[in-house]
């Protein structure tokens, strides 16, 4: 195998058994050598967390992806920890690209810091590696499943499309992660648009507790989008209203983009 072949690390937050992961692996295979390493367990909603109870055990798995048998690695940890362990213990050298996805369900608006899909991508970016996070819009009942009824083909097309560009383009200033949201109705011909991340909440939580505060509870979510309140250049508007692929550049620098000297003067009471 040529030493110049691009090295791609593929991960997710839905776990090693996710068909979305397999679809991405098959799509990326023509672009380089793909190392598949994903959480051993379902880890949606983990953000970029590094839970102390994770055991870090790496277990090789033989999986059939398309017509090929792949050796993939199940890792005992969060998506971010999976990326860390893969880079430190599995890869021959730092990968040229890390791809996280294809996620069961969209990751848009103010909730993206909750996403394990984005957490894995930001972990990669913290190592100085270009990162791509891809999610597919789905009915809410399928978010935490490994349903084989979901068609990932169009999302796989856009995964390879943007992965190829990240592999071949020079780094873009202040772009550490490229976030791609694919509508449920998308085809490879669906237009795409570069967007900003919406500041609006997209998933609204509902506490489900039956027997008082000391009883167990979980949280369900409903999606609420008011077209008149959502920024027209945002990921939410592009995905939900325009039904187009939303491509959002994200930065590790979460500093507010206001003039820092003006804020300092205001905080010192001199404004």
């Amino acid at each position: 195998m040529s030493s110049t072949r691009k090295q791609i690390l593929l991960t997710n937050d839905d776990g090693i058994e996710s068909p979305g992961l397999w679809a991405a692996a098959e799509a990326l295979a023509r672009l380089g050598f793909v190392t598949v390493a994903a959480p051993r367990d379902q880890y949606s909603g983990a953000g970029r967390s590094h839970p102390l109870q994770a055991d870090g055990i790496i277990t090789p798995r033989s999986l059939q992806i398309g017509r090929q048998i792949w050796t993939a690695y199940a890792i005992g940890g969060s998506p971010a920890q999976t990326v860390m362990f893969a880079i430190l213990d599995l890869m021959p050298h730092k990968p040229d690209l890390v791809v996280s996805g294809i996620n069961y369900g969209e990751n848009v608006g103010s909730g993206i810091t909750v996403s394990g899909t984005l957490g894995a991508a930001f972990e990669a970016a913290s190592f100085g590696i270009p990162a791509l996070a891809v999610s597919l819009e789905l009915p809410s009942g399928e978010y935490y499943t490994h349903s084989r009824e979901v068609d990932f083909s169009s999302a796989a097309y856009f995964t390879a499309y943007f992965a190829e560009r990240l592999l071949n383009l020079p780094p873009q200033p202040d772009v550490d992660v490229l976030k791609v949201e694919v509508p449920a109705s998308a085809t490879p011909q669906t237009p795409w648009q570069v967007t900003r991340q919406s500041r609006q909440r997209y998933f609204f939580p509902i506490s489900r507790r039956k027997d008082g505060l000391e009883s167990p509870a979980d949280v369900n979510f409903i999606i609420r989008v008011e077209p008149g309140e959502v920024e027209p250049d945002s990921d939410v508007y592009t995905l939900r209203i325009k039904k187009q692929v939303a491509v959002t550049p994200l930065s590790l620098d979460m500093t507010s983009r206001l003039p820092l000297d003006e804020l300092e003067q205001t905080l010192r009471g001199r404004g």
Side-chain angles (χ1 to χ4, degrees), residues 7-10 83-84 86-88 91 93-99 120-132 166-167 171 175-178 250 252:
Q7 294 283 333
I8 301 170
L9 172 61
L10 173 63
V83 169
M84 178 186 67
I87 293 171
L88 296 178
M91 305 293 292
H93 54 75
K94 196 164 71 171
D96 299 291
L97 175 69
V98 172
V99 178
F122 276 117
E123 186 68 21
S126 75
F127 281 87
I129 303 167
L132 174 66
L166 289 179
L167 285 169
V175 180
D176 298 301
V177 173
L178 200 64
L250 301 175
L252 279 171

mmCIF file of all heavy atoms in Angstrom, residues 7-10 83-84 86-88 91 93-99 120-132 166-167 171 175-178 250 252:
data_model
loop_
_atom_site.group_PDB
_atom_site.id
_atom_site.type_symbol
_atom_site.label_atom_id
_atom_site.label_comp_id
_atom_site.label_asym_id
_atom_site.label_seq_id
_atom_site.Cartn_x
_atom_site.Cartn_y
_atom_site.Cartn_z
ATOM 1 N N GLN A 7 -4.833 9.142 5.063
ATOM 2 C CA GLN A 7 -5.297 8.410 6.240
ATOM 3 C C GLN A 7 -6.527 9.117 6.811
ATOM 4 O O GLN A 7 -6.470 10.297 7.161
ATOM 5 C CB GLN A 7 -4.192 8.349 7.294
ATOM 6 C CG GLN A 7 -2.971 7.546 6.889
ATOM 7 C CD GLN A 7 -3.201 6.051 6.996
ATOM 8 O OE1 GLN A 7 -4.012 5.572 7.780
ATOM 9 N NE2 GLN A 7 -2.479 5.293 6.177
ATOM 10 N N ILE A 8 -7.641 8.390 6.889
ATOM 11 C CA ILE A 8 -8.903 8.940 7.385
ATOM 12 C C ILE A 8 -9.333 8.151 8.611
ATOM 13 O O ILE A 8 -9.378 6.919 8.581
ATOM 14 C CB ILE A 8 -10.004 8.861 6.311
ATOM 15 C CG1 ILE A 8 -9.588 9.631 5.053
ATOM 16 C CG2 ILE A 8 -11.329 9.399 6.849
ATOM 17 C CD1 ILE A 8 -10.502 9.399 3.861
ATOM 18 N N LEU A 9 -9.635 8.846 9.686
ATOM 19 C CA LEU A 9 -10.226 8.222 10.864
ATOM 20 C C LEU A 9 -11.721 8.488 10.847
ATOM 21 O O LEU A 9 -12.149 9.644 10.762
ATOM 22 C CB LEU A 9 -9.604 8.787 12.143
ATOM 23 C CG LEU A 9 -10.258 8.359 13.468
ATOM 24 C CD1 LEU A 9 -10.179 6.849 13.658
ATOM 25 C CD2 LEU A 9 -9.625 9.102 14.640
ATOM 26 N N LEU A 10 -12.506 7.430 10.914
ATOM 27 C CA LEU A 10 -13.972 7.539 10.913
ATOM 28 C C LEU A 10 -14.508 7.112 12.268
ATOM 29 O O LEU A 10 -14.152 6.041 12.780
ATOM 30 C CB LEU A 10 -14.568 6.669 9.814
ATOM 31 C CG LEU A 10 -16.099 6.545 9.794
ATOM 32 C CD1 LEU A 10 -16.760 7.900 9.533
ATOM 33 C CD2 LEU A 10 -16.537 5.515 8.760
ATOM 34 N N VAL A 83 -11.845 9.197 19.679
ATOM 35 C CA VAL A 83 -10.917 9.883 18.786
ATOM 36 C C VAL A 83 -9.529 9.955 19.415
ATOM 37 O O VAL A 83 -8.510 9.673 18.765
ATOM 38 C CB VAL A 83 -11.445 11.291 18.443
ATOM 39 C CG1 VAL A 83 -10.376 12.124 17.738
ATOM 40 C CG2 VAL A 83 -12.686 11.193 17.566
ATOM 41 N N MET A 84 -9.476 10.303 20.674
ATOM 42 C CA MET A 84 -8.193 10.428 21.359
ATOM 43 C C MET A 84 -7.441 9.093 21.363
ATOM 44 O O MET A 84 -6.263 9.022 20.999
ATOM 45 C CB MET A 84 -8.416 10.911 22.792
ATOM 46 C CG MET A 84 -7.158 11.043 23.625
ATOM 47 S SD MET A 84 -7.513 11.458 25.352
ATOM 48 C CE MET A 84 -8.338 9.959 25.903
ATOM 49 N N ALA A 86 -7.911 6.504 19.438
ATOM 50 C CA ALA A 86 -7.588 6.080 18.071
ATOM 51 C C ALA A 86 -6.324 6.774 17.570
ATOM 52 O O ALA A 86 -5.458 6.141 16.953
ATOM 53 C CB ALA A 86 -8.761 6.365 17.143
ATOM 54 N N ILE A 87 -6.215 8.069 17.839
ATOM 55 C CA ILE A 87 -5.030 8.813 17.399
ATOM 56 C C ILE A 87 -3.782 8.354 18.155
ATOM 57 O O ILE A 87 -2.711 8.166 17.567
ATOM 58 C CB ILE A 87 -5.255 10.328 17.587
ATOM 59 C CG1 ILE A 87 -6.342 10.825 16.627
ATOM 60 C CG2 ILE A 87 -3.962 11.104 17.384
ATOM 61 C CD1 ILE A 87 -6.791 12.243 16.893
ATOM 62 N N LEU A 88 -3.918 8.121 19.449
ATOM 63 C CA LEU A 88 -2.755 7.774 20.268
ATOM 64 C C LEU A 88 -2.333 6.317 20.114
ATOM 65 O O LEU A 88 -1.130 6.013 20.159
ATOM 66 C CB LEU A 88 -3.063 8.057 21.742
ATOM 67 C CG LEU A 88 -3.321 9.517 22.127
ATOM 68 C CD1 LEU A 88 -3.664 9.613 23.602
ATOM 69 C CD2 LEU A 88 -2.127 10.395 21.790
ATOM 70 N N MET A 91 -3.605 4.732 15.120
ATOM 71 C CA MET A 91 -3.177 5.283 13.843
ATOM 72 C C MET A 91 -1.653 5.233 13.711
ATOM 73 O O MET A 91 -0.933 5.502 14.672
ATOM 74 C CB MET A 91 -3.651 6.729 13.697
ATOM 75 C CG MET A 91 -5.149 6.933 13.872
ATOM 76 S SD MET A 91 -6.121 6.173 12.552
ATOM 77 C CE MET A 91 -5.687 7.190 11.157
ATOM 78 N N HIS A 93 0.131 7.307 12.094
ATOM 79 C CA HIS A 93 0.509 8.700 12.317
ATOM 80 C C HIS A 93 -0.775 9.509 12.351
ATOM 81 O O HIS A 93 -1.863 8.989 12.104
ATOM 82 C CB HIS A 93 1.461 9.222 11.231
ATOM 83 C CG HIS A 93 0.946 9.053 9.833
ATOM 84 N ND1 HIS A 93 -0.046 9.845 9.292
ATOM 85 C CD2 HIS A 93 1.279 8.162 8.867
ATOM 86 C CE1 HIS A 93 -0.293 9.465 8.053
ATOM 87 N NE2 HIS A 93 0.489 8.436 7.771
ATOM 88 N N LYS A 94 -0.677 10.775 12.667
ATOM 89 C CA LYS A 94 -1.863 11.617 12.781
ATOM 90 C C LYS A 94 -2.639 11.585 11.475
ATOM 91 O O LYS A 94 -2.059 11.789 10.401
ATOM 92 C CB LYS A 94 -1.436 13.049 13.125
ATOM 93 C CG LYS A 94 -2.571 13.906 13.649
ATOM 94 C CD LYS A 94 -2.059 15.159 14.341
ATOM 95 C CE LYS A 94 -1.481 16.157 13.367
ATOM 96 N NZ LYS A 94 -1.177 17.443 14.011
ATOM 97 N N PRO A 95 -3.943 11.304 11.514
ATOM 98 C CA PRO A 95 -4.695 11.196 10.261
ATOM 99 C C PRO A 95 -4.785 12.529 9.526
ATOM 100 O O PRO A 95 -4.648 13.609 10.117
ATOM 101 C CB PRO A 95 -6.083 10.723 10.715
ATOM 102 C CG PRO A 95 -6.173 11.103 12.147
ATOM 103 C CD PRO A 95 -4.778 11.030 12.696
ATOM 104 N N ASP A 96 -5.035 12.426 8.227
ATOM 105 C CA ASP A 96 -5.210 13.624 7.408
ATOM 106 C C ASP A 96 -6.591 14.237 7.599
ATOM 107 O O ASP A 96 -6.784 15.431 7.339
ATOM 108 C CB ASP A 96 -5.015 13.270 5.927
ATOM 109 C CG ASP A 96 -3.624 12.732 5.654
ATOM 110 O OD1 ASP A 96 -2.663 13.520 5.749
ATOM 111 O OD2 ASP A 96 -3.492 11.526 5.357
ATOM 112 N N LEU A 97 -7.538 13.414 8.050
ATOM 113 C CA LEU A 97 -8.917 13.877 8.215
ATOM 114 C C LEU A 97 -9.610 12.967 9.218
ATOM 115 O O LEU A 97 -9.393 11.757 9.223
ATOM 116 C CB LEU A 97 -9.659 13.837 6.879
ATOM 117 C CG LEU A 97 -11.154 14.188 6.893
ATOM 118 C CD1 LEU A 97 -11.344 15.680 7.213
ATOM 119 C CD2 LEU A 97 -11.805 13.854 5.549
ATOM 120 N N VAL A 98 -10.451 13.566 10.049
ATOM 121 C CA VAL A 98 -11.344 12.796 10.911
ATOM 122 C C VAL A 98 -12.778 13.102 10.484
ATOM 123 O O VAL A 98 -13.159 14.265 10.335
ATOM 124 C CB VAL A 98 -11.153 13.131 12.403
ATOM 125 C CG1 VAL A 98 -12.229 12.447 13.252
ATOM 126 C CG2 VAL A 98 -9.764 12.689 12.864
ATOM 127 N N VAL A 99 -13.547 12.048 10.273
ATOM 128 C CA VAL A 99 -14.962 12.176 9.910
ATOM 129 C C VAL A 99 -15.787 11.573 11.030
ATOM 130 O O VAL A 99 -15.525 10.444 11.474
ATOM 131 C CB VAL A 99 -15.271 11.465 8.577
ATOM 132 C CG1 VAL A 99 -16.757 11.573 8.252
ATOM 133 C CG2 VAL A 99 -14.426 12.056 7.450
ATOM 134 N N ALA A 120 -16.791 14.565 18.966
ATOM 135 C CA ALA A 120 -15.688 13.814 18.348
ATOM 136 C C ALA A 120 -14.930 14.679 17.363
ATOM 137 O O ALA A 120 -13.693 14.643 17.293
ATOM 138 C CB ALA A 120 -16.252 12.575 17.653
ATOM 139 N N ALA A 121 -15.660 15.473 16.574
ATOM 140 C CA ALA A 121 -15.014 16.334 15.585
ATOM 141 C C ALA A 121 -14.166 17.413 16.255
ATOM 142 O O ALA A 121 -13.043 17.707 15.818
ATOM 143 C CB ALA A 121 -16.072 16.960 14.682
ATOM 144 N N PHE A 122 -14.675 18.004 17.326
ATOM 145 C CA PHE A 122 -13.902 19.024 18.028
ATOM 146 C C PHE A 122 -12.671 18.429 18.713
ATOM 147 O O PHE A 122 -11.634 19.085 18.814
ATOM 148 C CB PHE A 122 -14.776 19.757 19.041
ATOM 149 C CG PHE A 122 -15.582 20.875 18.438
ATOM 150 C CD1 PHE A 122 -16.971 20.832 18.433
ATOM 151 C CD2 PHE A 122 -14.963 21.968 17.867
ATOM 152 C CE1 PHE A 122 -17.715 21.848 17.864
ATOM 153 C CE2 PHE A 122 -15.692 23.003 17.293
ATOM 154 C CZ PHE A 122 -17.081 22.946 17.300
ATOM 155 N N GLU A 123 -12.778 17.184 19.178
ATOM 156 C CA GLU A 123 -11.603 16.534 19.754
ATOM 157 C C GLU A 123 -10.524 16.394 18.693
ATOM 158 O O GLU A 123 -9.342 16.660 18.946
ATOM 159 C CB GLU A 123 -11.982 15.166 20.319
ATOM 160 C CG GLU A 123 -10.865 14.471 21.057
ATOM 161 C CD GLU A 123 -10.482 15.144 22.362
ATOM 162 O OE1 GLU A 123 -11.309 15.913 22.920
ATOM 163 O OE2 GLU A 123 -9.352 14.905 22.841
ATOM 164 N N ALA A 124 -10.925 15.973 17.486
ATOM 165 C CA ALA A 124 -9.960 15.874 16.392
ATOM 166 C C ALA A 124 -9.337 17.230 16.095
ATOM 167 O O ALA A 124 -8.121 17.352 15.907
ATOM 168 C CB ALA A 124 -10.650 15.315 15.153
ATOM 169 N N ALA A 125 -10.170 18.259 16.054
ATOM 170 C CA ALA A 125 -9.671 19.600 15.758
ATOM 171 C C ALA A 125 -8.665 20.064 16.808
ATOM 172 O O ALA A 125 -7.717 20.787 16.492
ATOM 173 C CB ALA A 125 -10.842 20.582 15.674
ATOM 174 N N SER A 126 -8.849 19.631 18.056
ATOM 175 C CA SER A 126 -7.917 20.031 19.110
ATOM 176 C C SER A 126 -6.530 19.437 18.900
ATOM 177 O O SER A 126 -5.548 19.934 19.458
ATOM 178 C CB SER A 126 -8.460 19.626 20.483
ATOM 179 O OG SER A 126 -8.333 18.230 20.703
ATOM 180 N N PHE A 127 -6.443 18.372 18.084
ATOM 181 C CA PHE A 127 -5.160 17.796 17.700
ATOM 182 C C PHE A 127 -4.603 18.446 16.428
ATOM 183 O O PHE A 127 -3.581 18.028 15.907
ATOM 184 C CB PHE A 127 -5.300 16.291 17.454
ATOM 185 C CG PHE A 127 -5.335 15.448 18.695
ATOM 186 C CD1 PHE A 127 -6.523 15.204 19.352
ATOM 187 C CD2 PHE A 127 -4.170 14.894 19.205
ATOM 188 C CE1 PHE A 127 -6.569 14.405 20.493
ATOM 189 C CE2 PHE A 127 -4.195 14.098 20.349
ATOM 190 C CZ PHE A 127 -5.411 13.860 20.999
ATOM 191 N N GLY A 128 -5.292 19.452 15.908
ATOM 192 C CA GLY A 128 -4.856 20.107 14.685
ATOM 193 C C GLY A 128 -5.224 19.344 13.426
ATOM 194 O O GLY A 128 -4.594 19.544 12.374
ATOM 195 N N ILE A 129 -6.244 18.492 13.493
ATOM 196 C CA ILE A 129 -6.650 17.671 12.354
ATOM 197 C C ILE A 129 -7.942 18.217 11.768
ATOM 198 O O ILE A 129 -8.895 18.486 12.513
ATOM 199 C CB ILE A 129 -6.865 16.206 12.809
ATOM 200 C CG1 ILE A 129 -5.604 15.649 13.465
ATOM 201 C CG2 ILE A 129 -7.298 15.332 11.633
ATOM 202 C CD1 ILE A 129 -5.826 14.347 14.197
ATOM 203 N N PRO A 130 -8.029 18.394 10.450
ATOM 204 C CA PRO A 130 -9.304 18.800 9.845
ATOM 205 C C PRO A 130 -10.389 17.794 10.197
ATOM 206 O O PRO A 130 -10.153 16.579 10.226
ATOM 207 C CB PRO A 130 -9.002 18.792 8.342
ATOM 208 C CG PRO A 130 -7.517 18.923 8.252
ATOM 209 C CD PRO A 130 -6.955 18.232 9.458
ATOM 210 N N ALA A 131 -11.593 18.294 10.471
ATOM 211 C CA ALA A 131 -12.668 17.421 10.931
ATOM 212 C C ALA A 131 -13.969 17.732 10.214
ATOM 213 O O ALA A 131 -14.295 18.904 9.959
ATOM 214 C CB ALA A 131 -12.849 17.546 12.441
ATOM 215 N N LEU A 132 -14.713 16.677 9.921
ATOM 216 C CA LEU A 132 -15.999 16.757 9.243
ATOM 217 C C LEU A 132 -17.021 16.017 10.092
ATOM 218 O O LEU A 132 -16.781 14.865 10.486
ATOM 219 C CB LEU A 132 -15.895 16.122 7.857
ATOM 220 C CG LEU A 132 -17.163 15.977 7.020
ATOM 221 C CD1 LEU A 132 -17.706 17.347 6.618
ATOM 222 C CD2 LEU A 132 -16.880 15.134 5.775
ATOM 223 N N LEU A 166 -12.016 18.663 1.892
ATOM 224 C CA LEU A 166 -11.152 18.938 3.044
ATOM 225 C C LEU A 166 -9.779 18.299 2.885
ATOM 226 O O LEU A 166 -8.772 18.841 3.361
ATOM 227 C CB LEU A 166 -11.814 18.439 4.322
ATOM 228 C CG LEU A 166 -13.032 19.234 4.815
ATOM 229 C CD1 LEU A 166 -13.593 18.610 6.086
ATOM 230 C CD2 LEU A 166 -12.698 20.694 5.040
ATOM 231 N N LEU A 167 -9.715 17.161 2.219
ATOM 232 C CA LEU A 167 -8.433 16.495 2.004
ATOM 233 C C LEU A 167 -7.558 17.225 0.989
ATOM 234 O O LEU A 167 -6.331 17.136 1.050
ATOM 235 C CB LEU A 167 -8.661 15.058 1.530
ATOM 236 C CG LEU A 167 -9.122 14.053 2.584
ATOM 237 C CD1 LEU A 167 -9.568 12.761 1.930
ATOM 238 C CD2 LEU A 167 -8.006 13.785 3.600
ATOM 239 N N PRO A 171 -6.000 24.502 4.512
ATOM 240 C CA PRO A 171 -6.833 24.850 5.672
ATOM 241 C C PRO A 171 -7.453 26.234 5.507
ATOM 242 O O PRO A 171 -6.796 27.177 5.052
ATOM 243 C CB PRO A 171 -5.842 24.810 6.840
ATOM 244 C CG PRO A 171 -4.738 23.920 6.370
ATOM 245 C CD PRO A 171 -4.621 24.147 4.897
ATOM 246 N N VAL A 175 -11.629 27.800 10.522
ATOM 247 C CA VAL A 175 -12.547 26.680 10.291
ATOM 248 C C VAL A 175 -11.870 25.420 10.818
ATOM 249 O O VAL A 175 -10.949 24.892 10.196
ATOM 250 C CB VAL A 175 -12.912 26.515 8.807
ATOM 251 C CG1 VAL A 175 -13.862 25.327 8.629
ATOM 252 C CG2 VAL A 175 -13.532 27.793 8.256
ATOM 253 N N ASP A 176 -12.305 24.961 11.981
ATOM 254 C CA ASP A 176 -11.740 23.762 12.584
ATOM 255 C C ASP A 176 -12.595 22.533 12.328
ATOM 256 O O ASP A 176 -12.081 21.419 12.269
ATOM 257 C CB ASP A 176 -11.565 23.973 14.093
ATOM 258 C CG ASP A 176 -10.605 25.105 14.395
ATOM 259 O OD1 ASP A 176 -9.438 25.024 13.966
ATOM 260 O OD2 ASP A 176 -11.020 26.080 15.048
ATOM 261 N N VAL A 177 -13.900 22.734 12.220
ATOM 262 C CA VAL A 177 -14.848 21.643 11.957
ATOM 263 C C VAL A 177 -15.824 22.104 10.889
ATOM 264 O O VAL A 177 -16.321 23.230 10.939
ATOM 265 C CB VAL A 177 -15.632 21.260 13.229
ATOM 266 C CG1 VAL A 177 -16.731 20.245 12.911
ATOM 267 C CG2 VAL A 177 -14.701 20.707 14.296
ATOM 268 N N LEU A 178 -16.081 21.243 9.918
ATOM 269 C CA LEU A 178 -17.123 21.499 8.936
ATOM 270 C C LEU A 178 -18.311 20.611 9.293
ATOM 271 O O LEU A 178 -18.198 19.384 9.295
ATOM 272 C CB LEU A 178 -16.627 21.198 7.526
ATOM 273 C CG LEU A 178 -17.406 21.854 6.380
ATOM 274 C CD1 LEU A 178 -17.281 23.381 6.446
ATOM 275 C CD2 LEU A 178 -16.902 21.348 5.031
ATOM 276 N N LEU A 250 -17.286 25.708 11.762
ATOM 277 C CA LEU A 250 -17.227 25.925 13.202
ATOM 278 C C LEU A 250 -15.785 26.102 13.639
ATOM 279 O O LEU A 250 -14.864 25.541 13.046
ATOM 280 C CB LEU A 250 -17.846 24.739 13.945
ATOM 281 C CG LEU A 250 -19.311 24.432 13.623
ATOM 282 C CD1 LEU A 250 -19.748 23.150 14.331
ATOM 283 C CD2 LEU A 250 -20.221 25.590 14.021
ATOM 284 N N LEU A 252 -12.876 26.252 16.962
ATOM 285 C CA LEU A 252 -12.548 25.950 18.349
ATOM 286 C C LEU A 252 -12.554 27.200 19.222
ATOM 287 O O LEU A 252 -12.736 27.118 20.437
ATOM 288 C CB LEU A 252 -11.163 25.305 18.425
ATOM 289 C CG LEU A 252 -11.059 23.817 18.107
ATOM 290 C CD1 LEU A 252 -9.587 23.420 18.016
ATOM 291 C CD2 LEU A 252 -11.764 22.972 19.144
#
